[in-house]
Amino acid sequence: MNDAPFVDIQGLTVTFTGGRQPVKAVGGVDLQVRRGEVVALIGESGSGKSVTLRSLLKLHPPRKTTIGGRIVVGGHEVLKLAPAALADYRGKVASMIFQEPLLALDPVYSVGAQIAEAIRRHEPATSADAAHKRALGLFERVHIPSPERRLAAFPHEMSGGMRQRAMIALALACKPQLLLADEPTTALDATVQIQILLLLRELQREMGLAVIFVTHDIGAAIEVADRIAVMYAGRIVEEGPARTLIREPRHPYTLALLGSRAHGALAKGERLETIGGAPPDLANLPAGCAFAERCRFVTEACSAAAPQVVTLQPGHQARCIHTGATLGAAGR
Ligand SMILES: Nc1ncnc2c1ncn2[C@@H]1O[C@H](COP(=O)(O)OP(=O)(O)O)[C@@H](O)[C@H]1O
Ligand SMILES: [Mg+2]
C-alpha cells in the first residue's frame, strides 16, 4: 500500500478565541489515514479528540475559531472549502456519527424520511421512490430488523441501539468514504456497544471506508482499530498499530492511561485509568512537555522544550525524550 493517504492532516491547530483567553484546543496534530483503515483516538476528556474530528468536517464556529495547518481528504482541501462545496463534501465524502443520535436526528420526521431527504439533497435527480429504496437498503445493511416498518418510525420510538444503527444508516446515505464516530457507543449498554462497533468494522470492510473514531474503551479500540493515536493536551503523543501500542506503550502518558491493568489481560468494555493530577490549562500551556507535571519519568530537560516525535519502529511514534526509560516499565 503505497498510495497517498485518504486523510492527511498536517500541523492542525485549533484555537478558540470567544472567551477571555484563547484556548489552544489542538496544538499541532499530524495524522494520516488510508482507505480501509480504522484509527481510534483515545485520551482523557478535554484532550482535543472531538475538536480534531470536527475539524475534518470544518464544523467549528468560524468567527470564534482560528484554524491553522492543512487537512486534505480525498483530494479536498477541507479548510479551504467554500460553503456550497462544504455542504456537498459533508455527507458525500465524510460524515459523522455522534454519541447521542437523538441530538442528530430530527424528532418530527420519520427516520426513513430523513434518510431519503439526505439522499435527495445531495442527488436531486433521485426520485422519491428510488430514495426510499436506498433508505431501505441502508437499513438492511446496518441490520435493522423489519426495516420497512422501522423506516416509518420516529427517532423516539426506537431503542438506543436501533437509533444508533439508524444514525449510521443516515451517515452512510450519500456513500461517504470517511466515517467519523465520536464516542459512538458510550450511551449504550455493553452488548449493544460491541454490536455497533462490529457493525462499523463490517461496514469498513465491505465499503472500504476510512474510519476515525473516538473512544474511552481500550477493549473496543483493540477490537476495532488498526491503529491507535493517543491525544494529550491537544497533541498526538503516541501513535502506532493497535496491538503494539497497547502491549508496548512507550509514552509515559499512554503507560499511565493503561495503568495497573494485568499485563495482556484485556476485557471488552475496559475503561481507561484515571491518572493523578490534572491536564494543563489550554490557555496557558507550558513551554516544555505538557505531561511533565504528572509524569513519573520527568527530568529537568522535559520542561526546557516541547519534545519532538521519536520513531520507535516504522509506524510507531511517541512524542517524548524518555521513551528509553519506559521500555522496562511497559512490561508492568
Ligand atoms: N466551541 C468551543 N469553544 C471554546 N472551547 C472549546 C470549544 N469546543 C471545545 N473547546 C475546548 O477545547 C478543549 C478540547 O475539547 P474536546 O476536543 O471536546 O475534548 P475531548 O478530547 O474530550 O473530545 C476543551 O478544553 C474544550 O473545553
Ligand atoms: Mg469529545
Side-chain angles (χ1 to χ4, degrees):
M1 284 213 297
N2 51 11
D3 51 329
F6 187 70
V7 177
D8 191 7
I9 304 178
Q10 300 275 354
L12 176 70
T13 58
V14 182
T15 306
F16 294 107
T17 52
R20 237 179 302 138
Q21 282 178 299
V23 172
K24 216 168 176 187
V26 175
V29 158
D30 300 300
L31 183 68
Q32 284 78 41
V33 184
R34 296 184 179 282
R35 279 177 205 279
E37 198 175 33
V38 180
V39 174
L41 287 182
I42 65 172
E44 283 167 301
S45 168
S47 56
K49 305 180 299 294
S50 296
V51 172
T52 300
L53 272 201
R54 294 169 67 83
S55 301
L56 286 156
L57 288 178
K58 206 181 173 191
L59 278 174
H60 304 298
R63 275 198 240 141
K64 293 175 181 162
T65 316
T66 309
I67 305 189
R70 189 168 177 221
I71 298 179
V72 181
V73 178
H76 302 270
E77 284 270 2
V78 178
L79 300 177
K80 293 187 178 155
L81 290 176
L86 185 61
D88 205 42
Y89 163 86
R90 290 179 184 154
K92 223 169 173 173
V93 181
S95 70
M96 172 109 83
I97 59 175
F98 298 92
Q99 183 175 344
E100 184 35 82
L102 272 186
L103 298 177
L105 295 168
D106 193 324
V108 302
Y109 293 98
S110 73
V111 178
Q114 292 180 55
I115 294 177
E117 211 272 321
I119 293 170
R120 296 182 78 195
R121 192 169 55 229
H122 282 278
E123 299 163 36
T126 312
S127 71
D129 193 44
H132 177 82
K133 286 213 178 79
R134 284 247 307 262
L136 184 63
L138 285 161
F139 263 36
E140 282 164 357
R141 172 149 243 171
V142 300
H143 309 303
I144 292 182
S146 321
E148 185 74 67
R149 185 167 59 79
R150 282 228 171 68
L151 277 176
F154 290 90
H156 70 270
E157 296 174 322
M158 297 180 138
S159 69
M162 240 10 108
R163 233 170 4 234
Q164 192 60 276
R165 286 175 192 272
M167 188 163 64
I168 294 172
L170 178 62
L172 295 174
C174 300
K175 305 176 186 157
Q177 292 150 297
L178 171 64
L179 192 60
L180 307 167
D182 198 350
E183 304 196 46
T185 62
T186 316
L188 305 171
D189 71 51
T191 48
V192 181
Q193 278 188 35
I194 291 295
Q195 289 165 9
I196 294 290
L197 288 167
L198 292 176
L199 170 64
L200 285 182
R201 182 87 226 182
E202 177 190 322
L203 293 167
Q204 169 272 326
R205 285 210 185 98
E206 284 175 2
M207 304 171 80
L209 296 172
V211 178
I212 309 177
F213 78 107
V214 171
T215 185
H216 278 107
D217 180 340
I218 301 181
I222 295 186
E223 187 112 355
V224 178
D226 299 305
R227 279 192 298 135
I228 296 177
V230 182
M231 286 195 75
Y232 187 77
R235 308 197 90 159
I236 292 176
V237 295
E238 182 163 6
E239 184 193 330
R243 268 158 223 287
T244 310
L245 191 132
I246 299 297
R247 286 193 190 141
E248 302 160 46
R250 298 287 296 280
H251 192 288
Y253 177 65
T254 316
L255 208 59
L257 263 188
L258 300 179
S260 53
R261 241 180 341 87
H263 184 51
L266 283 160
K268 283 176 189 171
E270 194 160 12
R271 312 288 287 188
L272 298 174
E273 292 281 313
T274 46
I275 303 171
D281 177 1
L282 296 173
N284 290 294
L285 282 170
C289 174
F291 187 60
E293 208 175 282
R294 303 167 78 187
C295 182
R296 61 190 256 223
F297 300 97
V298 67
T299 58
E300 254 174 56
C302 297
S303 47
Q308 299 299 305
V309 171
V310 179
T311 299
L312 304 155
Q313 303 166 39
H316 185 188
Q317 298 102 23
R319 208 177 259 283
C320 176
I321 59 172
H322 292 304
T323 52
T326 60
L327 254 186
R332 292 187 294 277

